[in-house]
Amino acid sequence: MNKLTKIVLFAALVLCGTSCGGGDDDPIPVNPVTPDPPQYPTFDAPQWQNEAQGVVNKYESTMTAYVTLPDSLSDKAAANDQIAVFCGAECRGYAFYDNDAKVWIAMVYGNAGDALAFKYYSTATRHLYNATATVPFAPDTQYGNPDAPQVLSLNIETQK
Protein backbone atom coordinates (compact mmCIF):
# COMPACT_ATOMS: atom_id res chain seq x y z
CA MET A 1 0.00 0.00 0.00
CA ASN A 2 1.51 3.30 -0.98
CA LYS A 3 1.77 6.33 1.28
CA LEU A 4 -1.05 8.26 -0.43
CA THR A 5 -3.51 5.36 -0.02
CA LYS A 6 -2.64 5.11 3.70
CA ILE A 7 -3.26 8.84 4.19
CA VAL A 8 -6.64 8.66 2.40
CA LEU A 9 -7.73 5.65 4.49
CA PHE A 10 -6.58 7.31 7.71
CA ALA A 11 -8.44 10.52 6.82
CA ALA A 12 -11.59 8.54 6.02
CA LEU A 13 -11.43 6.75 9.37
CA VAL A 14 -10.95 10.02 11.25
CA LEU A 15 -13.83 11.70 9.42
CA CYS A 16 -16.11 8.72 9.92
CA GLY A 17 -15.25 8.62 13.62
CA THR A 18 -16.43 12.21 14.11
CA SER A 19 -19.28 12.50 11.65
CA CYS A 20 -20.71 9.00 11.48
CA GLY A 21 -21.67 8.61 15.10
CA GLY A 22 -18.39 7.10 16.25
CA GLY A 23 -17.02 10.14 18.09
CA ASP A 24 -17.49 10.97 21.76
CA ASP A 25 -19.89 13.81 20.97
CA ASP A 26 -22.20 11.62 18.87
CA PRO A 27 -23.47 8.72 20.98
CA ILE A 28 -24.46 5.59 19.11
CA PRO A 29 -28.25 5.43 19.05
CA VAL A 30 -29.70 2.61 21.08
CA ASN A 31 -33.06 1.04 20.34
CA PRO A 32 -34.61 0.53 23.77
CA VAL A 33 -36.46 -2.70 24.36
CA THR A 34 -40.03 -1.96 25.31
CA PRO A 35 -41.72 -4.54 27.49
CA ASP A 36 -44.88 -6.20 26.30
CA PRO A 37 -47.99 -4.49 27.68
CA PRO A 38 -49.67 -6.38 30.50
CA GLN A 39 -52.29 -8.89 29.45
CA TYR A 40 -55.58 -8.58 31.33
CA PRO A 41 -58.32 -11.20 31.42
CA THR A 42 -61.37 -10.72 29.25
CA PHE A 43 -64.93 -11.33 30.37
CA ASP A 44 -68.26 -12.11 28.76
CA ALA A 45 -70.81 -9.30 28.93
CA PRO A 46 -72.40 -9.29 32.40
CA GLN A 47 -76.13 -9.55 33.06
CA TRP A 48 -76.19 -6.62 35.48
CA GLN A 49 -79.40 -5.11 34.14
CA ASN A 50 -81.28 -8.32 34.90
CA GLU A 51 -79.67 -8.59 38.35
CA ALA A 52 -80.65 -5.00 39.21
CA GLN A 53 -84.31 -5.73 38.37
CA GLY A 54 -84.34 -8.27 41.20
CA VAL A 55 -83.84 -5.57 43.88
CA VAL A 56 -86.46 -3.05 42.75
CA ASN A 57 -89.04 -4.08 45.38
CA LYS A 58 -86.54 -5.44 47.90
CA TYR A 59 -85.52 -2.05 49.38
CA GLU A 60 -87.71 0.91 50.34
CA SER A 61 -85.11 3.62 49.71
CA THR A 62 -83.54 4.87 46.50
CA MET A 63 -80.66 7.09 45.53
CA THR A 64 -79.81 8.45 42.07
CA ALA A 65 -76.23 8.29 40.77
CA TYR A 66 -74.89 10.46 37.95
CA VAL A 67 -71.43 9.27 36.93
CA THR A 68 -68.99 9.47 34.07
CA LEU A 69 -65.85 7.62 33.05
CA PRO A 70 -62.34 8.97 33.59
CA ASP A 71 -60.66 10.59 30.58
CA SER A 72 -58.48 7.52 30.06
CA LEU A 73 -61.60 5.44 29.30
CA SER A 74 -64.22 7.91 28.09
CA ASP A 75 -62.92 8.17 24.52
CA LYS A 76 -63.02 4.36 24.21
CA ALA A 77 -66.57 4.00 25.53
CA ALA A 78 -69.12 2.24 23.33
CA ALA A 79 -72.90 2.19 23.25
CA ASN A 80 -73.13 -1.30 24.75
CA ASP A 81 -70.78 -0.64 27.69
CA GLN A 82 -72.25 -1.19 31.13
CA ILE A 83 -72.02 0.40 34.56
CA ALA A 84 -73.65 -1.11 37.63
CA VAL A 85 -73.70 -0.37 41.35
CA PHE A 86 -73.06 -3.09 43.93
CA CYS A 87 -73.31 -3.59 47.67
CA GLY A 88 -71.03 -6.55 48.24
CA ALA A 89 -71.92 -9.09 45.55
CA GLU A 90 -75.51 -7.83 45.13
CA CYS A 91 -76.26 -5.58 42.15
CA ARG A 92 -78.24 -2.62 43.52
CA GLY A 93 -78.58 -0.54 40.37
CA TYR A 94 -77.89 -0.42 36.65
CA ALA A 95 -76.80 2.76 34.87
CA PHE A 96 -78.21 3.91 31.56
CA TYR A 97 -76.15 6.16 29.33
CA ASP A 98 -77.62 9.54 28.42
CA ASN A 99 -75.86 10.29 25.13
CA ASP A 100 -76.99 13.95 25.08
CA ALA A 101 -75.64 14.70 28.56
CA LYS A 102 -72.69 12.26 28.26
CA VAL A 103 -73.54 10.87 31.69
CA TRP A 104 -74.50 7.49 33.14
CA ILE A 105 -77.62 7.53 35.34
CA ALA A 106 -78.49 4.80 37.84
CA MET A 107 -81.37 4.35 40.26
CA VAL A 108 -79.77 2.64 43.24
CA TYR A 109 -81.71 0.69 45.88
CA GLY A 110 -80.59 0.11 49.45
CA ASN A 111 -80.47 1.02 53.11
CA ALA A 112 -78.79 4.01 54.77
CA GLY A 113 -75.07 3.45 55.15
CA ASP A 114 -74.73 0.59 52.66
CA ALA A 115 -71.30 0.72 50.99
CA LEU A 116 -71.79 1.02 47.23
CA ALA A 117 -69.18 0.16 44.61
CA PHE A 118 -69.33 0.84 40.88
CA LYS A 119 -68.24 -1.57 38.16
CA TYR A 120 -67.71 -0.82 34.49
CA TYR A 121 -67.61 -3.27 31.58
CA SER A 122 -66.05 -2.26 28.25
CA THR A 123 -67.51 -4.08 25.24
CA ALA A 124 -64.60 -2.94 23.04
CA THR A 125 -61.91 -4.56 25.19
CA ARG A 126 -64.09 -7.00 27.17
CA HIS A 127 -62.32 -5.76 30.31
CA LEU A 128 -63.95 -5.27 33.68
CA TYR A 129 -63.13 -2.30 35.91
CA ASN A 130 -63.80 -1.83 39.62
CA ALA A 131 -64.19 1.43 41.52
CA THR A 132 -61.28 2.27 43.79
CA ALA A 133 -63.56 3.53 46.58
CA THR A 134 -67.06 2.93 47.92
CA VAL A 135 -69.84 5.47 48.30
CA PRO A 136 -72.24 5.41 51.28
CA PHE A 137 -75.89 4.91 50.33
CA ALA A 138 -77.96 7.94 51.39
CA PRO A 139 -81.73 7.56 50.87
CA ASP A 140 -83.50 10.09 48.66
CA THR A 141 -80.30 11.86 47.58
CA GLN A 142 -78.10 12.15 44.51
CA TYR A 143 -74.52 11.13 43.94
CA GLY A 144 -73.35 13.70 41.40
CA ASN A 145 -75.84 15.51 39.19
CA PRO A 146 -76.55 15.78 35.45
CA ASP A 147 -74.44 18.93 35.07
CA ALA A 148 -71.56 17.70 37.25
CA PRO A 149 -71.46 13.90 37.30
CA GLN A 150 -69.02 12.12 39.59
CA VAL A 151 -65.97 10.86 37.70
CA LEU A 152 -65.41 7.22 38.57
CA SER A 153 -61.92 6.22 39.65
CA LEU A 154 -61.50 2.71 38.22
CA ASN A 155 -58.92 -0.07 38.24
CA ILE A 156 -58.87 -2.85 35.68
CA GLU A 157 -59.77 -6.32 37.00
CA THR A 158 -56.61 -8.42 36.89
CA GLN A 159 -58.07 -11.78 38.03
CA LYS A 160 -60.76 -13.85 36.40
Side-chain angles (χ1 to χ4, degrees), residues 16-68:
C16 188
T18 59
S19 64
C20 297
D24 292 336
D25 56 347
D26 292 322
I28 297 172
V30 177
N31 293 330
V33 176
T34 54
D36 290 334
Q39 298 296 313
Y40 298 108
T42 57
F43 297 85
D44 292 334
Q47 299 298 311
W48 293 336
Q49 185 174 5
N50 295 338
E51 291 177 36
Q53 293 301 317
V55 299
V56 170
N57 296 317
K58 188 174 179 180
Y59 300 95
E60 291 182 20
S61 299
T62 61
M63 172 181 170
T64 306
Y66 297 91
V67 297
T68 190

Side-chain angles (χ1 to χ4, degrees), residues 7 63 68 77 91 151 158:
I7 292 172
M63 172 181 170
T68 190
C91 184
V151 179
T158 60

Side-chain angles (χ1 to χ4, degrees), residues 71-148:
D71 289 341
S72 61
L73 294 172
S74 64
D75 59 339
K76 298 174 185 116
N80 294 334
D81 288 359
Q82 299 182 50
I83 292 180
V85 187
F86 290 82
C87 181
E90 183 178 45
C91 184
R92 298 284 186 91
Y94 182 80
F96 294 92
Y97 187 66
D98 181 336
N99 195 40
D100 294 331
K102 306 291 185 209
V103 64
W104 296 80
I105 306 166
M107 180 63 66
V108 184
Y109 299 86
N111 298 314
D114 287 346
L116 304 174
F118 290 83
K119 292 186 179 194
Y120 166 65
Y121 176 77
S122 168
T123 56
T125 63
R126 297 182 59 214
H127 290 150
L128 183 63
Y129 297 82
N130 297 304
T132 59
T134 59
V135 175
F137 182 90
D140 305 320
T141 63
Q142 293 182 169
Y143 178 67
N145 66 61
D147 296 323

